[in-house]
Amino acid sequence: MTTLAEKVPASATSSRWENARRGFYRFRNSWLSIAGLLIVLVLFIIAVIGPSIVPYPEHVAGSVSTATRFQPPSALHWFGTNELGQDVFSLVVAGSQISLLAGLAVVAVGALVGTLVGAVAGYFGGWTDEVLMRLADLKLTVPSLILAMAVAAALGPGILNMVIAISISWWPGYARLVRGEVIAKKEEMFVQAARALGAGTGRILRRHILPNILTPVIIKMSLDMGFAILTVASLGFIGIGVKPPTPEWGSLLSIARTYMPDYWWTAVFPGSAIFLAVFGFNLLGDGLRDVFDPKARR
Amino acid sequence: MLTYILRRIVLIIPVLIGLSLLVFAIARLLPGDPIQLAAGPNASPAEIADLAREFGLDKPLPVQYWNYVTGLVTGDWGQSIFTRRAVAEDLKVYLPATLELVFTAMFLAILIGIPAGLTAAVYRNRWPDYMSRVVSLGAISMPRFFLGLLLQIGFAMWLGWLPLGGRFPLTEDPPAFVTGFLTIDSLISGDLRAFGITLQYLALPAFAMCLSPLATITRMMRASTIEILQQDYVLTERALGLSSRLILFKYVLRNAMSATLTVIGLYVGWLLGGTVLVETVFDWPGLGLYATKAIVTQDFMPVIGVTIVIGGIFIISNLIVDLLYGILNPKVRYE
Amino acid sequence: MINLTRRSAIAAGTASLASMVLGGPVDAQSRKILIIASSQDIPNFDPHIATGYSASMLLRNTYDSLVRVEGNPPNPVPHLATSWTVSPDGTEYVFKLDPAAKFHDGSSVTAEAVQYSFNRLLRLNQGNAWMIQGIVDEKSVQPVDAQTVRIKLVKPFVAFLQVLPWVWVVNPKDVEANKGSDNGQTYLRSNLAGSGAFRVRRAEPGNLYELERVANAWKQGGGNLTGAIWKITRETATQRLMLQRGEAHIAVDLTSEDMDAIKDRPNVVSVIEPEYRTFSIKLNTKHGPLADVNLRKAIAYAFNYQSLLDSGGYAKLMTGPLPDGIFGHDPSLQVYRTDLAKAKEYLAKSKYPNGGIKLSIAHVSGLEQQRRWSLVLLDNLKQLNIELDVKPMIWPDMVALTRSPEAMPDFFCVYQTANYGDPDNIAFAAYHSSRNGNWQNPVYANPKVDDLIMRARAETDEEKRKALYGEFQRIVVDDTPDIFGVIEKRKLALRSDVQNFRFTPVASNAIELFPLSLR
């Protein structure tokens, strides 16, 4: 969750290794974080190999089997079948790829744009900083879900459009974070030295500053993943999301909603998949935050 | 102090202008031709041009913006192209509905979150603490729309305790409109029965919405209580023999207030923007449903109106929270 | 009384909250309010502009027309007009108005009012104007005396009485007083000027519309309803649950799955009746690969009609372009049924003997049945090595696409409902080339078909007319401008305490309140 993630590490460089070692120890000792890590690992494995091992790959591609509609869960169909006779298990497994990819893309685009904006603002300061940061503040006041809905609806359905729509509201958090880090790093010795040696602005940013702020950005990304997946599913649920036959979890749930409670399996499994994925990332992110920000948990 | 407050209030104005500019720009830069849509399938080009003129959409963008902003100030928030209703009028009906839901959710979150956080702090690293951590993380991970569906099935369908959705029984007239908050309006009119009914309709959607702020408030209460328990003066007092219950009571109140404030600051805007999911599930006639409908039909004015209202509330609630912080912690007053 | 039962159920359940505040006895109410759950809003009350079944519901209860439809099959019966005569050549109708008929303001419904209403409809040329376009012009409707009106048709139109129930009569005095610069459109958008048995009591756009019985309405009798609420309930599942719990008396947008779910529930009555509502997939016969008739035939043979039916619930397959049971429909018509061998045969004759192309289909986003059928098509086209891009869109955007053959997708999903029980309704709107660029017939044009439609329209001899429609159907099937889909059955569900509901296969979801009673 973005709002929870604002407090990010301010670890001193000198004792970085020591901190990391202690952090890892803390992480290993927290079974919740390990559980999160496991869920996320399983999720990634399913996303990578799932689509090729699902029992009914043709259903994922949109084939229908109208003779076997609404079958309850059985050995043949672990999660039952839906309104078109498609195997819900296959769809949910294949959906993991879409949700993970979309979530990653949203976070990556957000981080990329935010890092650029933040780095430029922090490095140049002055009015550039002022303008960019006021813009970021403004963006934070605009309700992100409504904005994403409006943009996605205008662009039409499709994963790419959905990612664009969501990422639009995603960068300000990163911009703030990176700007702070850049301002801090800018004054440090090695940057001053590089500048004295005649390195250009681009080079300093690229070679000396950005690599040093990578860690906090990556941690924020991992913290944001759960929320990104949730937002993707939300758009799908409202019905502004992917094109059929893409088996996206949110849209699966939105369609299945009509069949509750009689054909509960069509809704419960996609819904639980969303919950589990988000839960896994949140547990992991929470553990990671503990590692890098010992103050947050004692 | 007074100058500080005044300065903060004046500083809001450029932010509001920026907000209106940003929202307007986004709305107009998106593809889609609402006039074409609104004119209907049989409209001739001349009719379409007429409609565009009627809504001022034939003018250059800066002029459109200027007209819009001057309208905002004078209370004319434009018209929906589809229903031809004034956006300001619609907002007057839908905003209170949504605010009532958000406030109730917030209230629930505070009501449950503060004792939960306290318990977790007192039993730090024992099972109540772990429980609260798992439950909090689970709560923010649960898609509100999925939870809403499950609540509906459980409490409305199976148990039959609570209504399925909506805000008030259809066949009855809601209490006379004063604030638009049915809870308040029913109390004003002295109708306790209506108040009870209103609460029944609020219960499920408010609960579905309260989980995120609840999780946050629990964890903040926990962290700050732990901090206090470890502070020197508390240790001293404890050494002097004050019971830990008394100490907790003594310091927790202020603590609870600042945790609450922070959550309100963080969440009012977020919940307002996010009600759409819960409103969809529970058929709650509020801003979210209104915005969804406008978005689907690419109806500019309602979308802009809703966005500005939510943005404005976000800005103002943050201001209030900041000011209250200042009163609560004199140290941060002159940032 | 529904109110009481629900309230007592709630009170019994929520002992915690409710008992404290609910305590007091429920005030006795004599109101009988029928609640209808529907997914469609009523954005406009203007009787000469608004369309859609939600608006039809509002209008047929708040306005009156010369005749009404009733029964199954639907028949025109007296309403404002107590009787009428038709000239032998079918071009002149004389209606006698009911002298008791009064608008809500107490003034009489006169022949002038009828003339004013027809002319306003024609002048605005929106809403239901297409029903009388080319048949009635501004000079056609002439008052003979205050209670007699003569309508001279521009050309004979056999189905004239069938369209009259949808031409509403407005109060000219009221409209003229609020005319503004737009023929009173602004006024009538949210105000009524009618003579119907009900009027609007409460309008909350996007949420609900409450109607109440007009105390001194000219039409007396009917059921015991004192009012009705049109509750916008977007999800069909919610509509169903409301019905099950007694929170709604009638649900009008249920899916087949919903109907299955309520089948054995107590206190719920299902209505599953054939209606003239068809689903078909229009093909772009003018632009793109489907301009090739052999490819169209290949696809029509490759299509899995059984899957269409399986996933369509309460429906039956169409035989040709006209719905079953309508006048002139030929049940023995040879139409396409799944036959992969023939599909391959025609594919070989087409310009794309090995497939390898990608086509697109547009369907209305949120219409679950259309999504399912698009997926059935996607599945079937794979057998011809053709890919399909499924595009869910909002309806207005889809309509915009039909304006030019280039913009129109290869496949285009449409539901068509016959607003009047005559084949001309569908034949003209969906296959006459003058309707090109409209959603019902974006591109299809065949001069021979045009000619047949125009001749059948004017033919008063039943047998000859039937023969003309027979030939029309054969040619259209051979041209394959559509994949003829299914006739959906109308699916309504009522609480058993709703009395006197009689099904009519025309606009049956636009519930007529007057005869209904609540127990």
Side-chain angles (χ1 to χ4, degrees), chain A residues 1-4 6-7 29-33 135 137-147 149-151 153-155 168 227 230 233-235 237-238 240 250 253 257 260-261 267-272 274-276 278-280 282-283 286-287 289-290 295-298, chain B residues 15 18-19 22-23 26 30-32 124-125 129-130 133-134 137-146 149-150 152-153 157-158 212 216 219 222-223 226-227 230 266-267 269-270 272-274 276-277 280-282 288 291-292 295-296 298 303 306-307 310-312 314-315:
Chain A
M1 271 227 26
T2 22
T3 40
L4 285 175
E6 302 300 344
K7 283 183 264 161
N29 269 10
S30 150
W31 57 272
L32 281 179
S33 316
L135 193 64
D137 286 350
L138 266 184
K139 270 312 290 61
L140 287 174
T141 65
V142 178
S144 52
L145 188 61
I146 290 182
L147 180 67
M149 282 166 62
V151 176
L155 295 178
I168 287 181
F227 194 51
L230 202 56
S234 304
L235 280 195
F237 181 77
I238 292 169
I240 314 171
L253 180 58
R257 187 189 158 182
M260 289 268 257
V268 164
F269 292 110
S272 311
I274 302 173
F275 170 70
L276 263 183
V278 179
F279 193 44
N282 280 343
L283 284 177
D286 200 52
R289 198 211 349 251
D290 285 359
K295 262 194 79 180
R297 178 166 184 88
R298 269 176 292 212
Chain B
V15 181
L19 174 69
L22 183 73
V23 173
I26 293 172
L30 290 176
R124 180 154 65 105
N125 292 337
D129 188 19
Y130 286 122
R133 190 172 185 189
V134 177
L137 281 172
I140 54 172
S141 308
M142 188 68 176
R144 271 162 295 166
F145 44 91
F146 186 47
L149 285 179
L150 297 179
Q152 261 185 340
I153 301 284
M157 283 310 294
W158 286 346
S212 290
T216 310
R219 309 197 63 198
R222 176 188 178 277
I226 288 174
E227 199 165 323
Q230 289 176 340
L266 278 175
Y267 274 101
W270 189 78
L272 274 174
V276 44
L277 296 165
T280 310
V281 172
F282 288 99
T292 311
I295 284 169
V296 167
Q298 300 183 357
V303 181
V306 169
T307 320
I310 295 180
F314 178 78
I315 293 168

Side-chain angles (χ1 to χ4, degrees), chain B residues 36-37 41-42 84-85 94 156-157 161-164 170-174 193 196 200-201 283 293 296, chain C residues 3 6-7 10 14 18 21-22 31 35 41 189 201-202 205 229 233 241 245 394 396-397 399 403 438:
Chain B
Q36 186 90 16
L37 295 185
N42 301 321
R84 310 283 185 111
R85 288 169 51 86
Y94 295 123
M157 283 310 294
W161 291 358
L162 292 167
L164 202 58
L170 292 173
T171 48
E172 293 182 37
D173 291 335
R193 202 184 63 82
Q200 291 171 18
Y201 277 83
D283 229 343
K293 204 179 139 208
V296 167
Chain C
N3 247 341
R6 182 160 45 101
R7 223 175 275 148
I10 291 171
T14 33
V21 271
L22 262 180
R31 296 198 291 163
I35 301 176
D41 201 354
R189 188 172 295 131
R201 176 168 182 268
R202 185 153 65 119
I229 290 175
T233 311
L241 298 180
R245 287 167 50 96
I394 60 171
D397 277 349
V399 169
R403 290 214 188 94
N438 278 292

Side-chain angles (χ1 to χ4, degrees), chain C residues 64 79-83 96-111 146-148 194-197 214 216-221:
Chain C
D64 291 320
H79 197 199
L80 282 177
T82 49
S83 65
K96 281 272 174 210
L97 302 183
D98 192 326
K102 284 198 170 35
F103 289 112
H104 292 162
D105 68 356
S107 58
S108 286
V109 180
T110 58
Q147 252 78 51
T148 313
S195 53
V214 177
N216 51 354
W218 68 274
K219 216 164 66 167
Q220 288 302 321

Side-chain angles (χ1 to χ4, degrees), chain B:
Chain B
M1 186 68 198
L2 195 68
T3 34
Y4 172 66
I5 294 177
L6 280 179
R7 200 172 65 110
R8 287 299 309 262
I9 291 175
V10 171
L11 275 177
I12 270 194
I13 294 167
V15 181
L16 285 174
I17 294 175
L19 174 69
S20 70
L21 193 61
L22 183 73
V23 173
F24 191 84
I26 293 172
R28 286 301 152 92
L29 292 179
L30 290 176
D33 187 352
I35 288 294
Q36 186 90 16
L37 295 185
N42 301 321
S44 66
E47 283 168 325
I48 292 177
D50 278 351
L51 201 59
R53 201 169 315 120
E54 191 189 329
F55 283 92
L57 293 175
D58 56 334
K59 301 207 174 66
L61 274 182
V63 178
Q64 287 185 33
Y65 174 70
W66 176 249
N67 289 342
Y68 181 68
V69 168
T70 47
L72 273 186
V73 177
T74 56
D76 172 14
W77 289 44
Q79 255 188 9
S80 152
I81 290 181
F82 275 87
T83 62
R84 310 283 185 111
R85 288 169 51 86
V87 172
E89 288 301 307
D90 283 345
L91 290 179
K92 240 178 252 167
V93 179
Y94 295 123
L95 179 65
T98 294
L99 281 180
E100 185 162 47
L101 187 55
V102 168
F103 289 160
T104 313
M106 226 39 147
F107 179 72
L108 274 181
I110 292 164
L111 203 68
I112 309 172
I114 286 179
L118 261 177
T119 318
V122 172
Y123 296 92
R124 180 154 65 105
N125 292 337
R126 276 181 281 165
W127 69 266
D129 188 19
Y130 286 122
M131 275 286 289
S132 99
R133 190 172 185 189
V134 177
V135 172
S136 304
L137 281 172
I140 54 172
S141 308
M142 188 68 176
R144 271 162 295 166
F145 44 91
F146 186 47
L147 176 71
L149 285 179
L150 297 179
L151 289 175
Q152 261 185 340
I153 301 284
F155 286 90
M157 283 310 294
W158 286 346
L159 298 172
W161 291 358
L162 292 167
L164 202 58
R167 206 175 162 213
F168 204 75
L170 292 173
T171 48
E172 293 182 37
D173 291 335
F177 188 101
V178 183
T179 57
F181 289 74
L182 293 184
T183 41
I184 298 175
D185 287 356
S186 62
L187 289 181
I188 290 178
S189 60
D191 188 349
L192 275 187
R193 202 184 63 82
F195 181 71
I197 293 174
T198 307
L199 290 187
Q200 291 171 18
Y201 277 83
L202 266 169
L204 292 184
F207 183 72
M209 277 186 75
C210 84
L211 288 188
S212 290
L214 168 61
T216 310
I217 214 170
T218 305
R219 309 197 63 198
M220 290 186 62
M221 264 315 276
R222 176 188 178 277
S224 55
T225 309
I226 288 174
E227 199 165 323
I228 284 193
L229 288 178
Q230 289 176 340
Q231 239 135 45
D232 291 347
Y233 57 94
V234 177
L235 291 176
T236 317
E237 287 188 13
R238 196 179 272 169
L240 287 174
L242 277 169
S243 80
S244 29
R245 188 168 301 181
L246 196 68
I247 295 170
L248 264 184
F249 187 76
K250 190 170 162 192
Y251 293 104
V252 143
L253 196 69
R254 169 187 287 182
N255 229 330
M257 277 174 74
S258 60
T260 307
L261 274 180
T262 312
V263 170
I264 291 175
L266 278 175
Y267 274 101
V268 164
W270 189 78
L271 282 180
L272 274 174
T275 51
V276 44
L277 296 165
V278 171
E279 288 184 6
T280 310
V281 172
F282 288 99
D283 229 343
W284 188 266
L287 280 187
L289 275 184
Y290 180 59
T292 311
K293 204 179 139 208
I295 284 169
V296 167
T297 47
Q298 300 183 357
D299 198 351
F300 282 150
M301 286 306 175
V303 181
I304 299 179
V306 169
T307 320
I308 287 186
V309 160
I310 295 180
I313 292 177
F314 178 78
I315 293 168
I316 291 167
S317 65
N318 268 321
L319 171 73
I320 295 174
V321 165
D322 279 359
L323 294 178
L324 286 178
Y325 254 143
I327 294 167
L328 218 59
N329 300 322
K331 260 191 288 179
V332 293
R333 197 177 293 161
Y334 308 102
E335 39 178 38

